[in-house]
Amino acid sequence: MPRTHRTIPDMIVDIHTHIFPPRLIAQRSRLAVADAAFDEMYASAKATMATADDLLASMERAGVDVSIACGFWWRDPALAAEHAAYLVEAARASGGRILPFVPTREPVEGASGIGEVRECAPEDVPASHLPVLVHSSEEAGHLYPGKVGGLTPGALGQLLDARPEARLIAAHWGGGFPFATLIPEVRRSIERRVLFDSAASSYLYVPEVFRRVIDMAGLDSVAWGSDFPLRAQEVDRAYVEAALPEEAERAAVLGGNAARFLGLGPE
Ligand SMILES: [Zn+2]
């Protein structure tokens, strides 16, 4: 059975990955000089950068049907536009297996969303009819490249209040925002428009975080994200499966919730 025709419950969706055009990968050191946030995250040759082909090969290995591929939130609009064009073309060539979330303030033709948004205040997050993936950061715990520059839970709350129409993927468990959903009006404000992704969870939290967030914010608000290539998809998928032994929860987190949120699968 061709992968993209699976029914929603057993569709496997990775809601958070990163790919770069080969030209920008080759220019890594020059770009590190030009962009401070890029320097912090990718100056080191140890920081893996992947292309669309690398992602598709990884999806084969990990049994992933669809991946959201994000761009880098460049300061330079020309780099952002170049990255967006690459993402849209890679998505087209992938037959819908890659969904492009572009790093531009305005959505471009062919984009499925905007992201990964970082380094901006809530009021500066692009307003769009498309979903926006925002880099969120917890306010406690160890420092690491890219922690500073994420939306904190407070900033996320402001964004949700200021933009009742916005649809958000709050990366990295929303930096802890799920606790705030124990406030009834906050819980109501996230329904059907916010997903918390689990990207880089194993570097920050114990595996019980899956259970805790499901219990606080509800099963339908949690979606698997690997942050590939920071984490190998097959390794991170196995980590989620180990954290969620119950079949229905596993299916929802590994793809059902993302597919519903993104409008994937048969009508
Ligand atoms: Zn990311």
Side-chain angles (χ1 to χ4, degrees), residues 230-255:
L230 180 67
R231 286 271 284 176
Q233 287 183 311
E234 62 270 28
V235 172
D236 207 61
R237 179 182 171 177
Y239 182 85
V240 177
E241 290 175 342
L244 292 174
E246 209 263 312
E247 194 47 46
E249 290 187 339
R250 196 185 271 188
V253 171
L254 281 175

Side-chain angles (χ1 to χ4, degrees), residues 16-18 41-42 70-71 116 118 133 135 171-172 197 199-200 226-228 230:
H16 189 145
T17 74
H18 293 274
M41 296 187 62
Y42 292 105
C70 301
E116 179 176 7
R118 52 174 349 110
L133 192 147
H135 179 64
H172 318 296
D197 86 28
S226 68
D227 223 346
F228 171 91
L230 180 67

Side-chain angles (χ1 to χ4, degrees), residues 9 26 29 104:
S29 44
T104 48

Side-chain angles (χ1 to χ4, degrees), residues 115-224:
E116 179 176 7
V117 177
R118 52 174 349 110
E119 313 273 335
C120 60
E123 60 276 11
D124 299 330
V125 171
S128 169
H129 63 287
L130 296 175
V132 179
L133 192 147
V134 288
H135 179 64
S136 327
S137 294
E138 61 293 341
E139 292 172 299
H142 61 280
L143 272 180
Y144 49 85
K147 180 164 181 165
V148 179
L151 264 74
T152 62
L156 207 51
Q158 287 167 32
L159 175 59
L160 288 171
D161 290 345
R163 300 267 182 78
E165 82 299 340
R167 300 179 64 235
L168 300 178
I169 300 167
H172 318 296
W173 298 116
F177 191 84
F179 186 81
T181 68
L182 298 173
I183 302 168
E185 71 266 18
V186 176
R187 176 63 179 267
R188 283 194 297 276
S189 79
I190 68 158
E191 259 144 29
R192 285 181 297 285
R193 69 178 185 115
V194 175
L195 284 180
F196 300 106
D197 86 28
S198 64
S201 187
S202 62
Y203 293 127
L204 293 165
Y205 300 95
V206 294
E208 288 74 17
V209 65
F210 286 86
R211 174 85 276 129
R212 301 286 177 274
V213 173
I214 289 171
D215 292 345
M216 285 190 287
L219 175 59
D220 55 10
S221 72
V222 175
W224 172 49

Side-chain angles (χ1 to χ4, degrees), residues 39-148:
D39 178 50
E40 188 189 335
M41 296 187 62
Y42 292 105
S44 154
K46 283 199 228 105
T48 311
M49 296 171 77
T51 65
D53 290 343
D54 298 327
L55 175 58
L56 290 168
S58 166
M59 290 168 70
E60 276 307 311
R61 289 192 301 273
V64 175
D65 300 293
V66 173
S67 293
I68 286 181
C70 301
F72 184 80
W73 203 247
W74 300 101
R75 292 224 169 105
D76 177 352
L79 288 171
E82 178 181 350
H83 207 157
Y86 175 76
L87 287 161
V88 168
E89 176 46 32
R92 192 198 57 72
S94 77
R97 301 195 59 212
I98 292 176
L99 298 180
F101 271 47
V102 296
T104 48
R105 298 199 159 283
E106 300 297 328
V108 300
E109 175 126 6
S112 303
I114 291 179
E116 179 176 7
V117 177
R118 52 174 349 110
E119 313 273 335
C120 60
E123 60 276 11
D124 299 330
V125 171
S128 169
H129 63 287
L130 296 175
V132 179
L133 192 147
V134 288
H135 179 64
S136 327
S137 294
E138 61 293 341
E139 292 172 299
H142 61 280
L143 272 180
Y144 49 85
K147 180 164 181 165
V148 179

